[in-house]
Amino acid sequence: MPLVFVHGVSVRKDAAYDARVRLRDSLFRRFCLKQIIPAWATFDIKNPYWGDVGAQFKWNFASLPEGDQEVLGAGDDANLLDEAVPTSNLEGILVSTARSKGLVTAIDMLWEAASCTDNDEFSAQLAQLAEQALEYARTNPRPTWLARLADDQDLITSLKDGISGSDSLTGAGEKKPQMEMLGLAEIWDRLREGAGRIATAIPATGSAGILFLARRRLHVGIATFLGDVLVYIHERDEKADKSPIIGRILESLDSADKTRSSKQEPLIVVAHSMGGIILYDVLTHYRPNLRVDLFVTVGSQSALFEELKLFKVSDPTIPNFLTNRVHAPQSVSKWLNVFDTNDILSFSATGVFSGVSDFKYSTGKDLFHAHSSYFNRPSFQERLGARIQEVWAK
Amino acid sequence: MILFDSEVDGPLTQRHANRGNGPKTHALIIGVGYYHHLPGGDGETTKDHMDLEQLSSPPMSARAFAKWVCEELDNPSAPLGSVELLTSPSSNFLLPNGGERCTKRATMPEIERAFDGWYERCDSHSENVAVFYFCGHGVMRGGTILLPEDYGMLRRNPFKSSIDINLTWEGMAQCKASTQCYFIDSCRQVSWNLRKQLRDPGTALILPKIGTRSNRDAPLFMATGPSNSAYGLSSDVTIFTKALLDSLKRGVCRRKGCWLVTTTRLSDALSLAVQELGGNADRPQFSGTEGILKGNAIHRLTEAPEVAVWLCCEPELATQYAELEMFSSDPPNNLHFARRPPVSDRWKIPAPAGHYTARARFPSAEYKPGECSVWADPPGPVEEIVRVEHE
């Protein structure tokens, strides 16, 4: 049973790419597929990667304004701070966030930080624990123990106690015979490490060097974003289905379609950002007969592209007196579009397309970072799962 | 008070008959289930608790091993000299001679005191056998770090109460005892809490020194591999200690007419036994031996151990029609086991260690009789095939 996920712009295989995909897959299975697919735990998820055939910068961003700072080592933890609440306590970021924005937001931050793992089983465990953590946070959005916490490690201890039903702050209950481990619970240790990474990601001062690095990171991100869009459109129009980007997507979709046909099972396609544009082109032009049971676009610009009439099948005469909106791709049974009001790169679809359901979600992140913050957040996956269940049942 | 000292108490059993100043076996056994500064303990919970929990199986396991040492250990070359048992929580221990002793608690000061005494006793003769057993929480950074009852006592140096067993093992190269067995029944996971330390924070019970010359047989029998977990069922003996007690009955070789448990055979038997007990569980456990392994004897069995022998025919189809028999070679041609057809499966025979001849006959099928030689070699299991032909 196949699900194909098509990523968006600015995605490159860095050291954490595989870990992010693993956690995303695990969260998909546990929060979304579990709602509609009986065999959700073993559901096949394909992740065609096209970042390597996207925009190439031949002078390695020499066109960006230069500075004289450089990072001596990995600096990939900066994105952990995107939604953190400013605090003077470097080890209390999660606590401050939980107090001001709620436990669910702190859980999202924690799981994003803890996502680095090279182990499928561990990712599945992390997703399972996320489900339990969210369930606890939904019923205890502002638990009383929040007021007593000294730092983020305390928050994890209290969350663990809350989930397990015991409460070390008020005394432990009677235990049933069970397997004892003569050491630590690895899953919690990973979360503690994640909290530690959040603390160490904070710059010691707001120096000019740090600000320059943050600006450059943003600049590189925007350049890659624009580059990927331009490369896609150029190659699509020049090379048609010989375009490497389209080729990668078609390969995965055709393979998934073959699996679906042989097993008589549904095909689910999920797209992030420009992945939605590519898939719209594929489902209307390159594979118009490919039957898709559920099409999910998240943070996508499909409606914007149609307004600009940039799709292969765009009809410049619509809207007109008879046709107010463009119909969703004929081969798609259900289309769900998710956008974040904080994400300036995501767009509503119902004003342009018919046959699509819009779903608003707030990541709570800033205007630029919201765009890349959907899929490794347990709370997003949980709400997406609920919406998919609704749409699926119709 | 030491649990048992042959110098003071005399021999516990006839096996432990005192041989004056000759070599002895000295055991230091530690089992920690209660942790004062971990969640659920009576003390202030340490910030560095690493989500470790209170345990019930380690003190039971330590007592089970101590019971084996006191009641079963039989090493004519180094009879039992002393046993020191520390458990948290403390409990009474019944000796084979009817005496009852209360165990000391396994706190760092008590462990250091007990270790010093044990070291002195082990160091008193070059042919002594030193036995160190620990069961309780363990974590890992560079080396394996074992946690006593008072781990986390110092807020700013929680690992001050912890044992670096690898450093301690290196330090023990200074001890004269030529045979030193270390049984470490704990997890060895790499905690984030430890990774963020600049240095290995555990304490050596004896500091290693350069220039130490040692020809010791000193295996570290580890319950699990580096970065992995070890398990036990609550209120029961742990998987590793169960496997250890079983392996002490079958990790043997034949030397000068005796069945001797040697360090090398014990290592083989332990790996197999842990795999059998913990390998098929949801949370698998695989033990391993580190350190120096030379094959010295540490225990003697009074009779041949039982070895699992699996027998079948080739071609496989013939097995179900075969009348299978196993004859021992000593005394010769003595029928030990027989199985009559029809049976569908391979034949599993729990046979005393030794040499046998297996024969297959076919009263109702068209195969010629066949036979093969079977070495029931401990620790087993042994698999043999009787090759037969169609008539």
Side-chain angles (χ1 to χ4, degrees), chain A residues 36-109:
Chain A
I36 55 172
I37 307 290
W40 58 273
T42 53
F43 197 87
D44 179 31
I45 299 180
K46 296 183 189 303
N47 289 284
Y49 172 69
W50 58 266
D52 57 332
V53 289
Q56 310 280 328
F57 294 83
K58 296 295 183 189
W59 278 269
N60 195 24
F61 299 102
S63 51
L64 267 56
E66 274 300 326
D68 56 0
Q69 291 84 3
E70 59 183 352
V71 181
L72 304 180
D76 60 346
D77 285 341
N79 60 329
L80 296 175
L81 302 173
D82 293 344
E83 66 189 323
V85 171
T87 172
S88 57
N89 179 1
L90 293 185
E91 294 190 344
I93 301 282
L94 290 170
V95 174
S96 303
T97 303
R99 283 175 184 157
S100 61
K101 294 188 174 182
L103 193 53
V104 170
T105 309
I107 287 170
D108 279 342
M109 273 185 79

Side-chain angles (χ1 to χ4, degrees), chain A residues 228-248:
Chain A
D228 279 350
V229 174
L230 293 171
V231 165
Y232 169 70
I233 293 174
H234 175 72
E235 291 199 338
R236 179 195 69 179
D237 295 340
E238 285 284 308
K239 302 177 184 173
D241 56 359
K242 296 284 188 282
S243 152
I245 295 175
I246 293 171
R248 296 270 173 93

